[in-house]
């Protein structure tokens, strides 16, 4: 358990109790801040006279949490294999142990993606309609060992869903890795591919939770692996091919998430997916990404998707600090408005306002809280581990990750993004219910809360402003007065009253 000390994840909780009736709520407070706290247990009692008010309403339950986590990519797994066993184990434990971030929902890629070392498919033989040559041997050196190590470290377990970036080029109209569409004559073969993948991973000791149908069906500017669908094409594939095939092969319990791209485009996709009882039968939910904007959550689109199918899942399946070479051992960069994304340079002029410079921690914290406050039930980061260049990535599409490593020097850097993710994944557990609350109408002071299956309540507060804030937190007849530093994220745990 030595690594917990290193990363500040094991600190004796400070139980805050007040003697008066007005300050009777017991809480434990953990803070990550620009001033240096890293999921640190703090005594956050406030003595201020003027307090902003947060009131919880646990009797009003909203969506059920599926989980929080990140993605197993070939790039991350390859880097772990280049580290010493000590550092590899430190990273795995920090992400998956109960004492660490305790990730509960994860993603991986089926066939290669941009965060692979090269382009590959599990079915490389052209016109192999029955996929007799199907093999996941490409994953056996890196990806599969990383997943199995994570499984061994996780006491609570976690779910894995899988996303294809493209079918093998021979199934597509352009015969290329990038762009193009799946030819109708290969719809059944591509559905079989999903089924065989389930079986292949099961043979490796890995049970899968489900799939997204296609990563970014609008494409990615024809830069790396992709395959295009219209909403109706994807609905047709799922309704008449993928869903029935998985069901026929005994895999009808596997989750299928549609769409899997930016939130702004949600309406046309959920309108197609959930148009009828037949079209929606095999869709268990909708997958979304955050790349449309560095600050906008798109609440109207999220609420529309929820209202269209209130009993279906709504999961953020990818977000990352894209188009950046990550800062190395410089916490300040992650709290400063210096990062730019793809849209800062490449977006059409009329939409560049959606992509100003931003602080990476702010983007993560605001987005996760904003999502939870608008019916999203799961939030999954992209790569868990990248190198100091922001790769490896065969297309040189550099990005940041919560953990950065220098494999040549066998060094590891846990960025503030790691602690930001842990504020949610560690304390808001699968099966938790997001609960209603009242808080100040201030975009720079954001709050969300969830009641865990064990009865505890996690309240996450983000203060984006450089000035500290003082607030009261009230649950029923009990209140505690708290203080949060400037540029800080707090998780406030209220113990179970069972």
């Amino acid at each position: 358990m030595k690594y917990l000390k290193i990363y500040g994840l094991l600190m004796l909780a400070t139980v805050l109790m007040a003697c008066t009736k007005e300050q009777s709520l017991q809480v434990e407070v953990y803070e990550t801040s620009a001033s240096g706290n890293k999921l640190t247990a703090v005594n956050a009692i406030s003595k201020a006279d003027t307090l902003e008010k947060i009131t919880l309403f646990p009797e009003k339950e909203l969506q059920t949490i599926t989980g929080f986590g990140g993605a197993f990519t070939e790039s991350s797994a390859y880097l772990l294999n280049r580290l010493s066993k000590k550092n590899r184990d430190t990273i795995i434990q920090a992400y998956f142990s109960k004492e660490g971030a305790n990730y509960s929902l994860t993603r991986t890629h089926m066939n290669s993606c941009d965060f692979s070392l090269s382009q590959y498919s599990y079915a490389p033989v052209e016109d192999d309609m029955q996929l007799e040559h199907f093999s996941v041997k490409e994953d056996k050196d890196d990806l599969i060992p990383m997943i199995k190590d994570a499984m061994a470290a996780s006491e609570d377990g976690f779910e894995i869903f899988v996303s294809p970036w493209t079918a093998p080029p021979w199934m597509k109209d352009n015969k290329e890795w990038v762009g193009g569409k799946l030819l109708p004559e290969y719809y059944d073969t591509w559905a079989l591919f999903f089924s065989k993948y389930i079986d292949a991973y099961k043979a490796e000791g890995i049970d899968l939770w489900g799939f997204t149908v296609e990563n970014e069906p609008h494409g990615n500017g024809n830069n790396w692996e992709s395959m295009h669908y219209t909403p109706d094409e994807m609905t047709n594939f799922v309704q008449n091919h993928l869903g029935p095939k998985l069901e026929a092969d005994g895999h009808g319990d596997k989750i299928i998430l549609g769409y899997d791209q930016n939130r702004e485009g949600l309406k046309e996709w959920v309108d197609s997916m959930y148009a009828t009882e037949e079209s929606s039968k095999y869709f268990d939910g909708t997958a979304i990404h955050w790349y449309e904007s560095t600050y906008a959550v798109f609440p109207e689109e999220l609420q529309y998707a929820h209202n269209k199918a209130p009993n279906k899942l709504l999961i953020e399946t990818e977000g990352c600090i894209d188009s950046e070479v990550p800062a190395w051992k410089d916490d300040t960069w992650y709290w400063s408005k210096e990062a730019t994304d793809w849209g800062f340079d490449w977006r059409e002029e009329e939409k560049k306002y959606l992509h100003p410079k931003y602080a990476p921690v702010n983007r993560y914290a605001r987005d996760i809280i904003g999502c939870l406050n608008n019916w999203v039930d799961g939030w999954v980061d992209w790569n868990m581990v990248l190198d100091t260049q922001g790769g490896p990535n065969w297309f040189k599409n550099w990005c940041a990750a919560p953990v950065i490593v220098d494999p040549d020097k066998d060094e590891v850097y846990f960025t503030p993004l790691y602690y930001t993710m842990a504020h949610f994944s560690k304390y808001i557990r699968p099966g938790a219910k997001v609960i209603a609350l009242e808080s100040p109408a201030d975009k720079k002071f954001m709050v969300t809360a969830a009641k865990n299956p064990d009865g505890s309540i996690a309240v996450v507060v983000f203060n984006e402003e450089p000035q500290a804030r003082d607030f009261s937190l009230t649950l029923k007849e009990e209140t505690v007065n708290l203080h949060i530093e400037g540029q800080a994220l707090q998780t406030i745990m209220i113990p179970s009253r069972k």
Side-chain angles (χ1 to χ4, degrees):
M1 301 179 77
K2 189 161 63 173
Y3 64 91
L4 301 175
K5 208 169 184 182
I6 298 172
Y7 302 112
L9 290 179
L10 183 63
M11 300 189 70
L12 291 176
T14 304
V15 179
L16 308 175
M17 296 187 66
C19 298
T20 66
K21 183 178 178 181
E22 289 74 20
Q23 290 236 136
S24 57
L25 187 62
Q26 294 186 40
V27 296
E28 301 168 359
V29 183
Y30 303 90
E31 183 174 276
T32 296
S33 64
S35 62
N37 285 331
K38 296 180 178 180
L39 211 68
T40 304
V42 296
N43 184 337
I45 281 289
S46 173
K47 302 296 185 182
D49 295 327
T50 303
L51 299 164
E52 298 170 285
K53 295 182 179 180
I54 299 172
T55 306
L56 306 177
F57 301 100
E59 67 280 1
K60 186 174 181 182
E61 297 179 346
L62 304 171
Q63 73 270 32
T64 301
I65 292 296
T66 303
F68 301 90
F72 298 101
T73 62
E74 186 183 26
S75 293
S76 293
Y78 166 78
L79 289 170
L80 284 180
N81 273 346
R82 294 186 61 197
L83 298 176
S84 64
K85 184 179 186 302
K86 178 183 176 182
N87 278 337
R88 177 191 178 90
D89 290 347
T90 293
I91 293 169
I92 292 289
Q93 291 288 327
Y95 270 126
F96 289 99
S97 73
K98 185 172 285 190
E99 294 82 6
N102 205 8
Y103 273 10
S104 54
L105 183 63
T106 65
R107 185 191 196 204
T108 193
H109 50 93
M110 186 167 74
N111 295 327
S112 64
C113 67
D114 49 324
F115 280 93
S116 295
L117 305 183
S118 63
Q119 296 173 312
Y120 62 86
S121 167
Y122 308 128
V125 178
E126 188 168 349
D127 289 330
D128 179 14
M129 302 296 282
Q130 298 305 312
L131 302 182
E132 295 177 359
H133 301 280
F134 184 96
S135 172
V136 296
K137 64 182 180 181
E138 293 281 356
D139 296 351
K140 291 186 178 182
D141 291 337
D142 298 309
L143 261 179
I144 288 173
M146 181 183 179
I147 293 171
K148 294 181 80 169
D149 283 354
M151 290 168 60
S154 176
E155 183 179 334
D156 292 338
F158 54 88
E159 305 289 8
I160 308 172
F161 65 90
V162 186
S163 301
W165 266 236
T166 182
W170 57 267
M171 294 187 190
K172 298 164 64 177
D173 57 4
N174 67 350
K175 307 301 181 187
E176 301 287 346
W177 291 102
V178 177
K181 291 192 175 188
L182 182 66
L183 289 166
E185 57 263 37
Y186 294 114
Y187 274 25
D188 286 335
T189 302
W190 185 228
L192 174 62
F193 194 107
F194 285 70
S195 184
K196 280 188 167 288
Y197 181 86
I198 295 170
D199 292 337
Y201 263 64
K202 176 71 172 178
E204 296 293 329
I206 300 170
D207 288 317
L208 302 174
W209 183 62
F211 297 91
T212 71
V213 183
E214 168 62 34
N215 176 72
E216 299 182 346
H218 291 305
N220 53 47
N222 288 330
N223 290 313
W224 52 86
E225 291 93 332
S226 58
M227 187 167 74
H228 300 174
Y229 288 91
T230 66
D232 287 347
E233 286 169 345
M234 181 178 287
T235 298
N236 169 48
F237 174 66
V238 171
Q239 179 181 344
N240 298 307
H241 303 273
L242 180 59
K245 180 59 178 172
L246 294 183
E247 190 172 63
D249 288 354
H251 302 313
D253 61 331
K254 302 307 177 188
I255 298 295
I256 298 176
L257 304 175
Y259 189 35
D260 208 13
Q261 199 156 359
N262 294 336
R263 297 168 202 159
E264 188 185 49
L266 262 172
K267 185 178 186 300
E268 63 173 339
W269 287 84
V270 296
D271 280 350
S272 176
M273 292 160 55
Y274 306 130
T276 66
E277 185 176 345
E278 291 76 20
S279 68
S280 64
K281 176 182 176 181
Y282 293 108
F283 283 111
D284 296 282
T286 309
I288 50 175
H289 296 181
W290 78 355
Y291 302 107
E292 193 69 34
S293 169
T294 63
Y295 65 89
V297 175
F298 296 95
E300 292 181 4
E301 286 79 0
L302 293 174
Q303 291 172 27
Y304 182 91
H306 168 76
N307 292 331
K308 188 74 177 182
N311 296 320
K312 303 284 190 179
L313 301 169
L314 185 55
I315 297 177
E316 170 80 14
T317 54
E318 185 184 316
C320 74
I321 306 305
D322 64 291
S323 301
E324 282 284 355
V325 173
W328 174 248
K329 296 186 178 180
D330 179 10
D331 285 3
T332 301
W333 182 85
Y334 294 87
W335 289 96
S336 304
K337 292 186 177 179
E338 298 176 9
T340 61
D341 73 335
W342 72 275
F344 185 82
D345 294 315
W346 303 109
R347 198 74 197 261
E348 56 271 37
E349 285 299 323
E350 64 271 20
K351 290 193 174 181
K352 274 197 175 182
Y353 74 94
L354 291 167
H355 303 271
K357 289 188 175 183
Y358 65 93
V361 169
N362 294 5
R363 187 176 184 185
Y364 268 71
R366 282 196 312 247
D367 196 85
I368 300 173
I369 293 173
C371 279
L372 293 178
N373 290 343
N374 286 283
W375 297 107
V376 173
D377 55 88
W379 206 100
V380 180
D381 190 24
W382 190 203
N383 298 275
M384 293 187 216
V385 183
L386 291 175
D387 64 21
T388 56
Q389 178 63 50
N393 181 292
W394 71 262
F395 187 73
K396 299 183 179 181
N397 174 35
W398 314 126
C399 298
V403 177
I404 305 298
V405 301
D406 184 337
D408 295 329
K409 296 180 180 178
D410 193 32
E411 293 183 1
V412 179
Y413 170 42
F414 281 73
T415 78
L417 300 179
Y418 166 78
Y419 302 100
T420 302
M421 285 297 305
H423 271 276
F424 300 91
S425 62
K426 184 176 179 67
Y427 300 107
I428 304 178
R429 303 304 299 157
K433 300 282 188 179
V434 175
I435 60 173
L437 57 83
E438 289 182 358
S439 64
D442 185 344
K443 292 181 180 179
K444 303 290 186 179
F445 186 72
M446 298 180 69
V447 187
T448 195
K451 181 168 63 178
N452 284 305
D454 68 359
S456 65
I457 294 175
V459 183
V460 185
V461 179
F462 179 53
N463 178 20
E464 185 176 341
E465 297 282 25
Q467 297 80 23
R469 309 277 284 253
D470 293 276
F471 61 95
S472 64
L473 179 64
T474 299
L475 174 63
K476 300 186 183 298
E477 302 301 318
E478 297 179 278
T479 296
V480 64
N481 297 338
L482 298 172
H483 175 89
I484 184 171
E485 293 297 325
Q487 289 187 280
L489 182 66
Q490 283 185 351
T491 298
I492 304 159
M493 291 301 299
I494 303 172
S496 171
R497 285 139 184 257
K498 288 183 178 178

